[in-house]
Amino acid sequence: MQKVKKILPFIAAGLALLAVIFLALPAGEWIFEDGEGIKFRGFALIFGGKLIWVEGTYTSTEPYFAFSFVNFLSFLFVIAGMAFAIAGVMTKKKAFAFVAAGLFLVATIFFFCLIRGVAFDKTAEAFEGYTQAELNMERALFIEACDLGVGAILPAICSLLAGVAVLVPAFIPDEK
């Protein structure tokens, strides 16, 4: 049982790393009335980026999304949770496990809200001449028209599993 206690935090850190890697997958899709849609990656929603047509015919030369601090928090919470999980093993203090589990669980919630935290790049050609009110309306329509994709769901699941994996050893009694 003590081996499990030592291994689970590293498994949690691996799951957290996997969550970050999964952000490269399409995190959502903007479906239009004609059935076509545009996919966008998790990293684009966090750090800013471009859109990709489902059919592969659209190539954007400029960013559509801007850096989003709210979405960056999901990324930051997973990285911090990974650090706390490893620190908990190194120091053998249960407080680190509880903090890491909390960070992973909050990151799970934030991953499911990636689309809601989107920020549009105001300098993009698509938004040229938009007032702030029009940009806010476009954001609201975007949020309503988007479906969550695997690039947001898989990181959320990995983060949730990492939170559980890092918390379990805290409840395993020490050998005497």
Side-chain angles (χ1 to χ4, degrees):
M1 204 52 133
Q2 294 304 316
K3 287 183 182 179
V4 171
K5 190 173 183 175
K6 289 182 181 180
I7 291 174
L8 276 177
F10 290 109
I11 291 173
L15 285 167
L17 185 61
L18 199 57
V20 171
I21 292 169
F22 280 147
L23 287 171
L25 297 173
E29 186 173 10
W30 190 356
I31 306 292
F32 300 116
E33 291 175 4
D34 62 359
E36 286 205 24
I38 299 175
K39 291 185 178 182
F40 38 89
R41 292 185 173 88
F43 283 123
L45 292 177
I46 295 172
F47 299 108
K50 304 172 185 175
L51 300 172
I52 305 164
W53 276 107
V54 174
E55 305 299 320
T57 58
Y58 179 79
T59 55
S60 175
T61 58
E62 63 177 55
Y64 191 79
F65 301 112
F67 173 79
S68 172
F69 181 73
V70 173
N71 287 344
F72 179 68
L73 287 176
S74 61
F75 180 78
L76 187 66
F77 288 150
V78 168
I79 299 298
M82 189 176 4
F84 274 97
I86 293 171
V89 173
M90 301 301 175
T91 62
K92 298 181 181 178
K93 294 190 178 182
K94 291 182 181 181
F96 284 112
F98 288 108
V99 171
L103 288 168
F104 286 136
L105 296 178
V106 171
T108 298
I109 295 167
F110 274 65
F111 280 131
F112 279 121
C113 298
L114 272 180
I115 290 176
R116 295 211 172 267
V118 69
F120 289 133
D121 188 355
K122 297 175 190 175
T123 62
E125 189 178 310
F127 303 120
E128 192 174 317
Y130 275 46
T131 64
Q132 187 61 44
E134 291 170 329
L135 198 61
N136 289 343
M137 180 58 77
E138 185 71 25
R139 182 178 176 272
L141 292 172
F142 174 82
I143 290 169
E144 185 179 320
C146 284
D147 293 332
L148 207 57
V150 294
I153 294 170
L154 288 178
I157 291 170
C158 285
S159 183
L160 179 65
L161 292 174
V164 171
V166 79
L167 199 56
V168 167
F171 294 105
I172 297 174
D174 293 329
E175 285 184 354
K176 294 183 182 186

